[in-house]
Amino acid sequence: KFNVYGTTLIILAEWKPTEGATTYNNTSGIALISASQRRNSPQTVDSKIHHNNLINNILPKIQANLAGCDDAIMLDLEGFVSETNATNIFMV
């Protein structure tokens, strides 16, 4: 048996200041880059499951920060636009 003692739930509470911490400027827009990492498909790790393996979302954000951009657009395994590391993308 792999799980002899049952499940364990770990909760880490984190406080972040919100005053003056807006992520995007709605008047001037945002600067984006294309991330070199691809968005993992649901066949590998389902993104609807909140788990501790978030390296696939962290690396594009680091890449965007180093490029002086607000966020990074992630493509899926077939090269189609998927989302940013933190938000969904909608075309109007």
Side-chain angles (χ1 to χ4, degrees):
K1 291 182 179 181
F2 291 115
N3 192 352
V4 178
Y5 301 106
T7 60
T8 302
L9 175 63
I10 300 172
I11 298 173
L12 301 173
E14 180 181 13
W15 179 83
K16 293 182 180 180
T18 57
E19 186 174 328
T22 57
T23 305
Y24 304 121
N25 183 341
N26 290 330
T27 57
S28 65
I30 60 173
L32 298 170
I33 63 167
S34 296
S36 60
Q37 291 81 17
R38 297 293 176 123
R39 182 71 173 116
N40 49 339
S41 71
Q43 287 82 18
T44 55
V45 177
D46 192 352
S47 61
K48 293 186 296 288
I49 300 172
H50 293 273
H51 48 78
N52 290 330
N53 185 11
L54 296 174
I55 193 69
N56 203 33
N57 292 1
I58 295 169
L59 292 175
K61 182 58 179 169
I62 292 172
Q63 192 176 14
N65 289 347
L66 292 174
C69 294
D70 299 310
D71 219 336
I73 296 175
M74 297 174 68
L75 306 177
D76 66 9
L77 295 175
E78 297 174 2
F80 294 102
V81 172
S82 177
E83 60 188 4
T84 71
N85 68 306
T87 61
N88 295 318
I89 296 177
F90 297 95
M91 300 257 199
V92 181

